DNA sequence: CCGATTGTCGCCAATTTGTAGACAGAGATG
DNA sequence: CATCTCTGTCTACAAATTGGCGACAATCGG
């Protein structure tokens, strides 16, 4: 028997003085209410209600039990509400891991707004380019920029990260401007190299996809370094727009091959697989989606 | 879902740190425990436990809810015990209706012992020979002496009440002593008349049943009156032994037709039809059975 | 490194639930 | 006072839930 359902039925019968009315308020049939109360009496071995064919009233036992039942039912509601409240009030420590470049260029400035919005939270931000397992390494959420991540960890897309092919004006003056992806074979590339596509660049235009493996003179796991070397005229770089942005605006770099585009990378949030996402993590991720882009949840969460 | 079962399962998991051990202690399978806790988390919309493949521990939500759950579960046990205790401690008012004769001759003297045994109870005894409906007339229990009572009220046999045929020595000297039930036709009977058998006397001996309708000169609804008139030599009476007893012992009445016996009457307790008999009533009836005779429950209660 | 134990999940037989409707009784109404 | 309406209980039964079995992958101890 569902003792709680019996308690609720019993309490409602006492409140209303009627099995029928109790049934109406609890959205149960009269016979269900009758059975619940009978079951309760049976399990206690005690008569709780005096019944006539028209109404019911608690006897001494029933009055005592009714008062106790009300306390118990209200405490149970209070307990439910207490955990709901605890869950919905964001506070405590949020530990975030993010890539270096994204952390310094985009996330860092945005964090102040998040902390203004949720003043009770503490945020610990660790910037690193290592592949990090949040469960293993004690983070609540890890941000990643990747092409496509297959992982057993739960991940949520935050935003696409467009990329741009660019070089310094001085480099272009000395080596000519490539007009087609195939022209890149004659140029020096500065490449990231740690994507799933390795050192190949995929560029798509009106005439289809082009897979180019330019001769690379520098392979590094930090796009800011690629940007800075490109600015110094050492080659052509394919790097995220958020990294190249300022140099492009200042004319220190020039975007080339503008009729072609590289598939964007994607910013993901990765977090431990629990049935119910911590509200801290959820609020943080919602903030990132709102701040950095549209929302596509990778796992239908 | 049975929320109470879920609460118990959850609490046991937190206590033991293990779904498996919780299952063993609750005599449930591991999968049942797992499902209960998952259901609770689902209904709250909150993660309560952190799980690894080897053990489980409450998170902050879970710790809060666990503490609340313990309180609720113990209060529920306390409520159950409170009504059980209330039920088992006999006190308060017990209202009894009994027939006049039985009340004055047998019950009255016994009552003192009952009240000694249960000093916290008050007993209200109303002696009347009216047919009384305990629900209608506000009694907890009504005693009846009858041949066979068919009633919608619940009744419990307390004891058989044997009857005796008797007359005064003086009457017998004047009218002769009947040796066979058929001889009663030539005698004057003093009859009760309010039994189902009316004024007919049924006497059974070695030669079978005899239905006699003696000529009655007195028909009254009180056997003591019948006894007193018989003592004065006015006729032959068929009355309960407990009423005739003292006069027989003193020689003021003489038992006759001793090779024949009238079917005994039966002392019943009648009480309102409730699912669980009040402990006051049960104790009183148990006392009567113990004091007055063997126990045969008429309704299999 | 292997065996034992863990928690979760899907499947399914067993059990319980909760309603419909019949029934008898009480109270309201004409 | 008779009739109607609503009551609480009970039975039958379709629908829903329960709870265990066994498979699976992960972890821990020897």
């Amino acid at each position: 028997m569902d003792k709680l359902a019996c308690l609720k039925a019993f309490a409602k019968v006492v409140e209303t003085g009627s099995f029928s009315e109790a049934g109406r308020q609890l959205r149960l049939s009269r016979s269900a209410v009758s059975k619940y109360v009978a079951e309760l009496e049976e399990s206690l071995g005690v008569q709780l209600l005096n019944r006539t064919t028209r109404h019911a009233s608690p006897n001494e036992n029933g009055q005592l039990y009714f008062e106790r039942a009300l306390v118990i039912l209200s405490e149970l509601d209070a307990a439910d509400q207490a955990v709901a409240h605890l869950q919905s009030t964001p506070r405590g420590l949020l530990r975030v891991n993010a890539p270096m470049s994204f952390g310094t260029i985009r996330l860092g400035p945005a964090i102040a707004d998040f902390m203004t919005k949720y003043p009770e939270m503490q945020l610990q931000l660790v910037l690193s380019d290592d592949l990090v397992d949040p469960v293993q390494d004690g983070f609540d959420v890890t941000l990643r920029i990747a092409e496509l991540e297959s992982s057993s960890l739960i991940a949520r897309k935050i935003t696409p990260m467009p990329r741009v092919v660019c070089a310094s004006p001085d480099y272009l003056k000395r080596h000519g401007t490539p007009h087609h992806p195939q022209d890149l074979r004659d140029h020096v590339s500065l490449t990231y190299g740690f994507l799933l596509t390795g050192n190949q660049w995929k560029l798509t235009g009106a005439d289809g996809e082009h897979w180019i493996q330019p001769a690379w003179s520098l392979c590094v796991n930090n796009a800011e370094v690629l940007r800075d070397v490109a600015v110094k005229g050492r080659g052509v770089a394919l790097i995220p727009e958020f990294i190249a942005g300022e140099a492009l605006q200042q004319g220190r770099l020039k975007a080339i091959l503008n009729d072609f585009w590289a598939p964007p990378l994607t910013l993901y949030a990765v977090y431990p697989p629990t049935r119910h996402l911590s509200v801290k993590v959820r609020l943080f991720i919602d903030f990132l989606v709102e701040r950095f882009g549209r929302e596509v949840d990778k796992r239908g969460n």
Side-chain angles (χ1 to χ4, degrees), chain A:
Chain A
M1 101 179 170
D2 187 337
K3 187 157 182 176
L4 216 53
C6 295
L7 273 183
K8 287 174 177 170
F10 165 69
K12 189 61 74 177
V13 170
V14 174
E15 280 173 21
T16 59
S18 160
F19 283 74
S20 297
E21 184 54 32
R24 282 191 283 276
Q25 294 190 21
L26 296 172
R27 306 214 195 287
L28 290 166
S29 66
R30 300 199 304 276
S31 56
V33 179
S34 179
K35 280 178 181 172
Y36 276 143
V37 177
E39 254 189 292
L40 188 57
E41 288 173 326
E42 192 65 33
S43 81
L44 294 169
V46 157
Q47 193 83 9
L48 296 171
L49 297 174
N50 292 325
R51 297 142 160 97
T52 69
T53 55
R54 284 292 262 186
H55 79 287
S57 58
N59 59 18
E60 190 179 4
N61 294 331
Q63 189 60 40
L64 170 78
Y65 204 70
F66 171 66
E67 289 161 9
R68 297 293 190 102
L70 287 186
V71 171
I72 289 160
L73 291 171
S74 71
E75 282 177 357
L76 190 50
D77 280 344
D80 292 0
Q81 284 163 18
V83 296
H85 180 262
L86 188 67
Q87 174 77 349
S88 69
T89 304
R91 76 197 196 306
L93 181 65
L94 181 69
R95 293 157 303 194
V96 181
N97 171 255
M100 294 286 292
S101 302
F102 180 79
T104 55
I105 298 171
R106 304 287 314 272
L107 186 61
I111 283 295
D113 290 340
F114 180 78
M115 298 182 74
T116 300
K117 192 166 179 173
Y118 301 107
E120 292 150 16
M121 285 217 274
Q122 291 176 294
L123 195 124
Q124 181 190 59
L125 178 62
V126 173
L127 299 183
S128 75
D129 289 322
D130 294 336
L131 282 175
V132 153
D133 180 319
V135 180
Q136 203 71 12
D137 296 327
F139 292 104
D140 295 304
V141 58
T142 289
L143 302 182
R144 292 290 100 200
I145 296 176
E147 285 160 312
L148 176 67
E149 187 150 335
S150 93
S151 167
S152 61
L153 296 174
I154 292 181
R156 186 176 179 190
K157 275 183 179 176
I158 306 298
T159 185
M161 314 286 295
R163 292 189 287 176
V164 63
V165 187
C166 53
S168 68
D170 178 63
Y171 175 90
L172 296 176
K173 184 184 285 184
R174 289 190 281 110
H175 295 89
T177 300
H179 293 291
H180 192 276
Q182 290 178 3
D183 296 342
L184 288 171
R185 289 199 184 91
D186 298 329
H187 286 269
V188 178
S189 76
L190 311 172
T191 188
Y192 186 78
F194 292 91
L195 302 174
L196 292 179
T197 47
N199 289 330
Q200 290 195 46
W201 294 11
K202 175 180 165 187
L203 296 168
T204 304
D207 61 347
E209 287 185 357
H210 302 278
W211 285 92
I212 309 302
Q213 181 142 4
W216 58 269
S217 64
L218 176 65
C219 179
V220 69
N221 71 335
N222 186 285
E224 287 177 276
V225 169
L226 295 179
R227 178 198 61 199
D228 293 345
V229 170
V231 160
K232 290 185 185 291
R234 309 299 301 183
V236 178
L238 172 59
I239 55 176
E241 276 186 4
F242 80 90
I243 290 181
E246 189 172 315
L248 287 170
Q249 285 171 3
Q250 293 171 351
R252 297 191 286 128
L253 284 177
K254 184 177 163 88
I256 57 175
L257 293 174
N258 290 325
D259 292 331
F260 300 86
W261 63 91
L265 304 177
T266 305
L267 177 68
Y268 292 96
V270 183
Y271 44 90
T274 61
R275 192 173 286 111
H276 298 284
L277 190 61
S278 159
V279 71
K280 300 186 281 189
V281 172
R282 183 168 54 78
L283 289 174
F284 183 64
I285 291 171
D286 288 348
F287 173 82
L288 294 178
V289 166
E290 185 190 339
R291 173 60 62 98
F292 295 121
R294 76 179 180 283
E295 169 183 348
V296 179
D297 196 308
K298 175 185 172 185
R299 278 284 198 83
N301 188 17

